[in-house]
Amino acid sequence: MTMPPQENIFTASTPEALNHHQTNSPWRFCLAPMMEWSDKHCRYFWRLLSKEARLYTEMVTTPALIHGDRARFLAFNLEEHPIALQLGGSNAAELAECAYMAEAEGFNEVNLNCGCPSDRVQNNKIGACLMAEPALVAECFEAMQSRVSIPITVKHRIGIDDQDSESDLHTFVDTLYQAGCRIFIVHARKAWLQGLSPKENREVPPLDYDRVYRLKKAFPDATIVINGGLTEIAHCTEPLQHLDGVMVGRAAYHNPFLLAKVDNVLFSTPKEAKHIERNEILKDFIEYAWHQHSQGVRLHHMSRHILGLYAGQHGGKHFRRFLSENACKSDATPTVLEEALEGMIVHQQRALERASSQTPS
């Protein structure tokens, strides 16, 4: 069957042409830790779209890891490397123990969450509220790094509440830098710990990329990765002229096929560029889903992450609706995904036929 052409995912903008700050940084392109979203099934799906992206788990709190289902929290597919575990906590000994567990399980990095503004984590002294206590964060960093050989990194905001001056940010980073931390992932918005919801804290406080650029100038030996407001791969090229990496979050979840551009645009030369098609990605994910299903994983736990695969395409709404209505059934198998793929091929063929009929002879 003749397939319609896919949209072009190539670009003339190569790492050489863009004069990026550091083309070999392991943190050049990262996919953000997102609660209830970036689980191992989601990350496997993302890895199908990009071989180069650095992946992050959902935040796991230290009590959950120490006293809970450790195997579940530390589970990942080998294909996910490089993979980082994000921890939430403020007890240095507990964080060190969890970092040790992560390294033993094969994680490539442990990231400390100092950016989440939700009330729930604040009550447990987790997340953005830790920016008010840089000495405590430094103590936690030192405890973790002393137990492992993999990098310990910190994800944080540019400020919190009224403690949001540039000097406050530099004091926080410098305190950690003096403790030995060299990798900082900076969400380029401040956080209001009271008065704004976590969603509002991702949207209402204005972005300030320039402040992050100046942070890099102040700490040139540190690896600085920027997060916030990056909704297209094309948006990443400007920050990469100033910084060591970028981190993309919800945009990649809602429209995952944008990740098909990552390896070509940010890592490859034109000769190395590869063409990626949605249908082939779905076929690969179906194979994964059958394997996971045989291990007792419900289809919905996997299929919910791929609803946006055909976003903006002919039949994309049908694909999303079909999965939403059928994959959640208790007896659903990956056959549902196979049927969804067949439906998309029909939609694509019809679109091709309509386009051909409208072409002047």
Side-chain angles (χ1 to χ4, degrees):
M1 178 179 292
T2 303
M3 298 303 300
Q6 303 288 317
E7 70 268 35
N8 181 22
I9 62 171
F10 304 108
T11 177
S13 298
T14 65
E16 293 80 7
L18 290 168
N19 292 320
H20 293 327
H21 180 77
Q22 187 176 343
T23 58
N24 295 321
S25 168
W27 287 267
R28 183 172 177 77
F29 183 86
C30 308
L31 284 164
M34 291 179 282
M35 291 298 296
E36 299 183 0
W37 285 3
S38 57
D39 65 16
K40 75 171 192 173
H41 308 304
C42 178
R43 299 190 306 263
Y44 183 88
F45 174 52
W46 283 343
R47 180 59 75 219
L48 293 175
L49 291 157
S50 170
K51 304 303 181 187
E52 301 288 350
R54 195 173 188 89
L55 306 180
Y56 286 73
T57 70
E58 306 168 83
M59 182 186 72
V60 180
T61 64
T62 52
L65 192 51
I66 293 172
H67 305 294
D69 188 346
R70 184 179 308 178
R72 178 171 70 87
F73 288 124
L74 295 179
F76 66 92
N77 303 286
L78 293 178
E79 293 87 350
E80 294 175 46
H81 288 293
I83 173 74
L85 174 70
Q86 187 183 67
L87 290 176
S90 56
N91 180 294
E94 291 180 354
L95 284 165
E97 181 62 24
C98 290
Y100 178 80
M101 294 179 198
E103 184 175 48
E105 289 298 319
F107 282 89
N108 305 104
E109 169 194 342
V110 172
N111 177 260
L112 179 61
N113 186 326
C114 293
C116 181
S118 78
D119 293 338
R120 183 162 56 96
V121 299
Q122 287 181 56
N123 293 336
N124 294 305
K125 215 171 190 179
I126 298 171
C129 63
L130 288 174
M131 290 195 70
E133 300 187 57
L136 173 60
V137 179
E139 177 188 345
C140 292
F141 168 84
E142 290 178 321
M144 287 189 285
Q145 195 64 85
S146 69
R147 290 291 302 276
V148 299
S149 60
I150 58 176
I152 303 297
T153 66
V154 177
K155 188 173 188 293
H156 59 92
R157 296 284 185 131
I158 58 173
I160 55 171
D161 296 337
D162 295 325
Q163 189 174 324
D164 67 342
S165 70
E166 197 147 340
S167 63
D168 290 326
L169 174 61
H170 284 222
T171 296
F172 178 80
V173 171
D174 185 59
T175 303
L176 284 166
Y177 188 90
Q178 296 302 322
C181 185
R182 291 295 182 272
I183 304 162
F184 302 87
I185 302 170
V186 188
H187 188 153
R189 286 186 174 94
K190 66 175 290 184
W192 286 103
L193 301 184
Q194 303 295 329
L196 292 181
S197 69
K199 181 178 185 297
E200 290 170 329
N201 263 305
R202 293 192 298 269
E203 301 169 353
V204 175
L207 288 162
D208 191 345
Y209 285 13
D210 287 339
R211 178 174 289 193
V212 184
Y213 298 164
R214 292 192 294 271
L215 183 68
K216 174 63 181 180
K217 290 182 178 179
F219 298 89
D221 295 333
T223 294
I224 306 291
V225 179
I226 197 167
N227 174 225
L230 299 169
T231 59
E232 298 287 346
I233 301 307
H235 297 168
C236 299
T237 56
E238 171 62 23
L240 284 171
Q241 295 185 38
H242 305 273
L243 303 170
D244 304 282
V246 294
M247 176 176 277
V248 175
R250 280 162 174 75
Y253 192 86
H254 293 304
N255 184 19
F257 199 67
L258 66 83
L259 298 177
K261 302 177 181 179
V262 168
D263 295 1
N264 289 342
V265 175
L266 302 182
F267 293 91
S268 300
T269 66
K271 290 182 179 180
E272 297 170 331
K274 296 179 180 179
H275 189 71
I276 299 175
E277 294 186 358
R278 287 177 168 86
N279 292 357
E280 295 304 313
I281 294 298
L282 181 52
K283 289 177 184 177
D284 289 342
F285 191 75
I286 290 171
E287 183 178 345
Y288 169 80
W290 275 115
H291 174 72
Q292 292 293 314
H293 183 70
S294 71
Q295 304 299 311
V297 179
R298 288 189 57 182
L299 180 62
H300 173 67
H301 294 161
M302 298 176 282
S303 64
R304 67 190 182 96
H305 300 304
I306 70 169
L307 294 178
L309 178 58
Y310 292 90
Q313 300 296 295
H314 290 287
K317 291 182 179 179
H318 170 82
F319 176 81
R320 185 182 187 94
R321 183 171 61 251
F322 183 84
L323 288 188
S324 297
E325 292 174 353
N326 294 282
C328 61
K329 297 175 181 177
S330 60
D331 60 347
T333 74
T335 299
V336 172
L337 300 182
E338 295 173 345
E339 293 171 350
L341 174 59
E342 292 172 1
M344 285 308 304
I345 291 175
V346 171
H347 278 284
Q348 291 164 349
Q349 185 62 31
R350 288 174 179 170
L352 182 64
E353 292 170 352
R354 285 195 297 270
S356 298
S357 67
Q358 296 170 4
T359 302
S361 57

